[in-house]
Amino acid sequence: MKTASLTSIALAAGLLAAAPAHAELNVVTTTEDLAALAREVGGDKVKVESLSRGYQDPHFVEAKPSFVIKLHSADLLIAVGRELEIGWLPPLVNQARNAKVQPGGEGYFDASQGVKILEIPTGQLTRAMGDVHPQGNPHYWLDPDNGLRIAKGIQKKLSALSPGDAAYFAGREAAFEKRLTEAQKRWDAQLASYKGTKIVTYHRSWPNFVDRFGLDVIGYVEPRPGIPPSPSHTLDLINDMKAKNVKIIMVEPYFDLKTPNSIARETGARVLVMAPSVGAEKEITDYVSLFDYDVKLLAAALKETTGR
Ligand SMILES: [Zn+2]
């Protein structure tokens, strides 16, 4: 073969395109928030896929056969942990036949390691308490400081899996940290006048968010975590909201609006369908735009209802 080199034959056959010289790490995450953070740090050295969508309830994700295939070929699985995915992830990981991504494996990362966890229960847990998470509240990614902690954890993990790219990951993490720090100043300014404002939320998804921005949750539409609204609890909540002049009900996009709307009619409160995750709305494409969306929505409603 004089004219055609092996390279050009391979190119013509499309073989080289399928086999890049530097293979990317195949990262699977349980949620779109973790996927967004993995993309921030991993850049073009990773291929990231989330199993759940941001508009789904992360406690109850319908397991699909394709999830097992994704997990089988994953180099790294990043999970929220704190039992958020306990109802759907463990059987998938078992069926994936990939030792790397089993808990404790080199390709498994529990993103809750090293973040600030709220609502860690003390004392005996009973069934009457509802679906309480014994390891604390798993919705911790809704505090941007925790987002940064997760990103740093991912950076460490990716660097361990691909040491040659450690400097690249460090640079990406630093750029994300800078962008997030600047965004936090903007969010703080938007919500500064509303510190201490009392609100109600549907599920306990927002303790880290309200803690970060200085709001006060006085009650929940759910009588207990994971338990649907009941007439007696709803009536108590309405009375409490009237007594405390509560005008905001934050609802996750996957809950029925019937009870929140009826509470709103009785109390004059506003129902806000907030985004708990990246991907909950089309425009929320990354971790910073998640807070941009929620802070804007909340600040507008607080301005209207408080007159401040
Ligand atoms: Zn929850």
Side-chain angles (χ1 to χ4, degrees):
M1 239 182 260
K2 252 170 157 184
T3 50
S5 68
L6 274 178
T7 305
S8 61
I9 291 167
L11 272 174
L15 295 175
L16 287 186
H22 234 45
E24 306 161 320
L25 285 172
N26 206 347
V27 180
V28 172
T29 67
T30 56
T31 67
E32 291 204 59
D33 309 290
L34 297 177
L37 291 168
R39 281 187 198 108
E40 295 284 357
V41 179
D44 55 16
K45 308 283 183 194
V46 295
K47 184 175 140 296
V48 186
E49 269 193 279
S50 168
L51 297 179
S52 70
R53 303 271 69 89
Y55 47 80
Q56 292 178 311
D57 184 343
H59 296 274
F60 306 102
V61 175
E62 195 195 335
K64 295 181 190 155
S66 63
F67 292 179
V68 176
I69 296 163
K70 289 182 210 295
L71 288 167
H72 178 71
S73 54
D75 298 305
L76 174 62
L77 166 62
I78 309 176
V80 172
R82 306 282 157 165
E83 300 196 344
L84 181 78
E85 306 101 336
I86 198 166
W88 57 279
L89 186 64
L92 295 173
V93 173
N94 276 336
Q95 288 163 43
R97 295 170 183 269
N98 177 356
K100 277 188 289 189
V101 301
Q102 305 289 327
E106 59 158 356
Y108 178 84
F109 179 56
D110 176 335
S112 74
Q113 302 304 307
V115 308
K116 182 179 178 185
I117 296 293
L118 301 175
E119 300 181 351
I120 294 176
T122 49
Q124 191 84 31
L125 290 183
T126 66
R127 245 178 225 206
M129 295 162 87
D131 185 19
V132 171
H133 294 285
Q135 296 170 16
N137 191 296
H139 303 271
Y140 58 80
W141 66 87
L142 284 161
D143 169 354
D145 289 330
N146 272 348
L148 185 58
R149 292 179 184 114
I150 299 167
K152 287 182 180 199
I154 292 173
Q155 180 204 340
K156 226 173 136 187
K157 193 74 193 178
L158 290 177
S159 302
L161 292 173
S162 186
D165 294 321
Y168 174 81
F169 297 138
R172 300 265 323 174
E173 190 283 322
F176 172 65
E177 184 165 349
K178 189 163 174 277
R179 196 155 61 85
L180 187 65
T181 305
E182 275 158 20
Q184 294 209 48
K185 287 181 201 151
R186 183 167 78 232
W187 302 327
D188 282 335
Q190 282 170 278
L191 293 175
S193 340
Y194 310 111
K195 290 239 152 48
T197 304
K198 293 178 170 58
I199 65 164
V200 158
T201 76
Y202 196 111
H203 177 71
R204 289 177 178 260
S205 304
W206 308 94
N208 293 82
F209 183 91
V210 301
D211 190 56
R212 171 63 184 76
F213 293 108
L215 302 170
D216 183 11
V217 180
I218 63 113
Y220 306 92
V221 177
E222 287 180 333
R224 294 185 297 284
I227 309 293
S230 67
S232 66
H233 173 74
T234 299
L235 191 60
D236 288 347
L237 185 63
I238 288 169
N239 289 333
D240 204 24
M241 285 175 69
K242 282 179 177 166
K244 291 171 179 157
N245 196 29
V246 177
K247 297 295 178 199
I248 301 279
I249 308 168
M250 279 165 50
V251 183
E252 298 77 355
Y254 37 80
F255 290 120
D256 192 335
L257 287 174
K258 205 176 128 223
T259 304
N261 283 341
S262 74
I263 297 171
R265 274 195 299 277
E266 291 293 324
T267 59
R270 290 271 309 270
V271 174
L272 289 189
V273 180
M274 298 276 285
S277 281
V278 172
E281 295 290 340
K282 262 206 190 84
E283 67 200 89
I284 307 173
T285 53
D286 64 15
Y287 189 75
V288 169
S289 58
L290 169 63
F291 289 90
D292 278 337
Y293 182 93
D294 283 331
V295 169
K296 187 181 167 196
L297 187 68
L298 181 60
L302 285 167
K303 189 175 162 65
E304 270 178 41
T305 53
T306 64
R308 260 178 265 151

